[in-house]
Amino acid sequence: MSSINKNLLFIQGGGSTEDYEADKKLVDTLQGLLGEAYGMHYPLLPNESIPDLGRIKQIDNAISLIEGELILVGHSLGASMLLKYVSENEIRKKITGIFLLSTPFWSGEEEWKKGFKLKEDFADQLPSDIPVFLYHCQDDQEVPFAHFAIYRKKLPWATFRELASGGHQLNNDLTIVANDILAL
């Protein structure tokens, strides 16, 4: 009998192999902190040539392959696409928590952003029984810290963890995230 009783799906930032490998350090750190009781699922999500890069379909497929309760974790683009997925789709699995790291808030009218942008009422569409946590470092050079402030206004009921330093990759140290997951 397996000792795994909780499943965690980690959605990478970006879409390149380099992005996947960079985020694998986050995944490995998180797995080490959580231990064997957590089954880690980390699918490679290549960019497709459609407005959302194929992420919504890929996330849906990844979720459908996992049995039992599920914890969702996303980094950067992956975090924003998880938020989009959960706010725009019927969730058929029991999600016990959503953890979003260095999450961009897409705005503007550029064509390339249309597949990433959240609907205006996205916060109202999130299931109210699922805890949502957001993490952002003040010195993130890729996703401006101002995006964190936007989410604070849009999701006042969520838990926000502001970190003084760690950059976009949170120094590959997800101790704070693991502690929040373990406290669920």
Side-chain angles (χ1 to χ4, degrees):
M1 182 169 155
S2 171
S3 63
I4 295 173
N5 57 24
K6 299 184 186 240
N7 289 290
L8 191 146
L9 174 63
F10 193 107
I11 301 298
Q12 74 188 59
S16 71
T17 303
E18 293 81 21
D19 296 324
Y20 181 80
E21 289 303 319
D23 281 2
K24 184 154 183 7
K25 294 174 186 169
L26 296 172
V27 171
D28 291 344
T29 299
L30 193 54
Q31 180 71 73
L33 292 164
L34 295 174
E36 293 180 11
Y38 289 80
M40 188 71 66
H41 303 269
Y42 183 48
L44 173 63
L45 304 180
N47 289 342
E48 296 177 18
S49 39
I50 57 178
D52 71 359
L53 304 178
R55 287 301 179 275
I56 298 302
K57 180 181 75 176
Q58 293 166 344
I59 290 169
D60 189 60
N61 184 52
I63 288 173
S64 74
L65 296 174
I66 299 170
E67 296 293 325
E69 292 184 8
L70 187 57
I71 296 166
L72 300 175
V73 181
H75 177 246
S76 195
L77 174 65
S80 65
M81 295 311 287
L82 269 179
L83 199 52
K84 184 173 179 63
Y85 176 83
V86 173
S87 67
E88 295 180 12
N89 293 276
E90 182 182 346
I91 309 300
R92 300 185 200 291
K93 301 270 182 168
K94 177 156 178 53
I95 308 291
T96 57
I98 301 171
F99 299 83
L100 308 169
L101 321 172
S102 308
T103 311
F105 185 86
W106 301 99
S107 62
E109 297 305 316
E110 297 92 330
E111 190 64 35
W112 67 271
K113 292 180 181 177
K114 291 195 191 292
F116 305 145
K117 289 173 66 175
L118 295 165
K119 292 183 178 176
E120 189 64 36
D121 68 344
F122 84 94
D124 297 331
Q125 303 308 313
L126 293 173
S128 60
D129 61 335
I130 302 174
V132 176
F133 293 77
L134 288 96
Y135 308 82
H136 211 112
C137 296
Q138 293 174 357
D139 65 349
D140 188 329
Q141 296 294 311
E142 294 193 40
V143 177
F145 190 72
H147 291 210
F148 193 63
I150 295 169
Y151 282 117
R152 275 190 198 261
K153 288 180 184 168
K154 303 254 184 206
L155 301 169
W157 47 266
T159 300
F160 292 85
R161 304 281 192 228
E162 180 178 327
L163 306 165
S165 63
H168 190 60
Q169 295 294 123
L170 296 93
N171 284 333
N172 293 318
D173 179 2
L174 297 187
T175 301
I176 191 169
V177 179
N179 289 339
D180 285 335
I181 290 172
L182 291 168
L184 286 179

